[in-house]
Amino acid sequence: MPTTDLKAVELRLRAILDPYREHLVEGTIYNMTVLRRKGAKKHDWFAGVQAVNEAVKFNLLPMHEHSELLEDIPDDLRRRKTGASVFRFTEVDENVAGALEALVGRGFLEYMKRDS
């Protein structure tokens, strides 16, 4: 059953980033809390979650530069893509969350290859 309460959606999406918190630090860009490498420049960030008008945005910057990360994502996740590095959620089910977790893992590997 999908989670439709927006606060619960936000918490579920933030939990996807939990495994990366020990490797990254929090920063802020455009009033959004993001994770980035220590010492990274302002626009060199990895991912963040932001509650917006009646939805929650999941921002994953590596997919902007590495479109190949999106090649095998399921249609349920692809339909939520609203920008070069943004997915928009009003609900989340565990199949979509699992696909997003896998994408974030691949994105993290690409992000960590870059120099700050």
Side-chain angles (χ1 to χ4, degrees):
M1 172 177 256
T3 300
T4 56
D5 169 45
L6 286 182
K7 188 61 178 171
V9 169
E10 181 181 359
L11 291 172
R12 178 62 182 101
L13 295 175
R14 287 188 186 284
I16 290 172
L17 296 177
D18 285 348
Y20 308 98
R21 293 182 189 284
E22 67 184 74
H23 306 285
L24 303 169
V25 296
E26 283 191 357
T28 304
I29 188 164
Y30 309 121
N31 295 319
M32 175 179 57
T33 301
V34 296
L35 294 176
R36 61 170 52 124
R37 284 187 294 267
K38 186 176 181 179
K41 295 178 177 146
K42 186 165 183 104
H43 291 289
D44 179 21
W45 51 274
F46 171 58
V49 175
Q50 182 180 33
V52 294
N53 302 326
E54 299 181 14
V56 181
K57 292 187 338 185
F58 190 98
N59 300 270
L60 181 64
L61 195 58
M63 70 182 190
H64 178 68
E65 295 177 354
H66 298 279
S67 60
E68 71 276 7
L69 293 171
L70 301 171
E71 289 175 358
D72 296 327
I73 66 169
D75 290 340
D76 285 351
L77 180 56
R78 189 175 305 277
R79 281 191 291 275
R80 290 168 171 79
K81 189 172 181 295
T82 60
S85 62
V86 180
F87 292 101
R88 186 176 185 276
F89 292 88
T90 55
E91 65 180 24
V92 62
D93 66 43
E94 285 309 304
N95 290 331
V96 170
L100 183 58
E101 287 171 342
L103 174 62
V104 169
R106 294 190 309 273
F108 179 74
L109 294 175
E110 290 300 329
Y111 177 72
M112 295 306 286
K113 289 179 186 177
R114 290 185 18 204
D115 292 330
S116 300

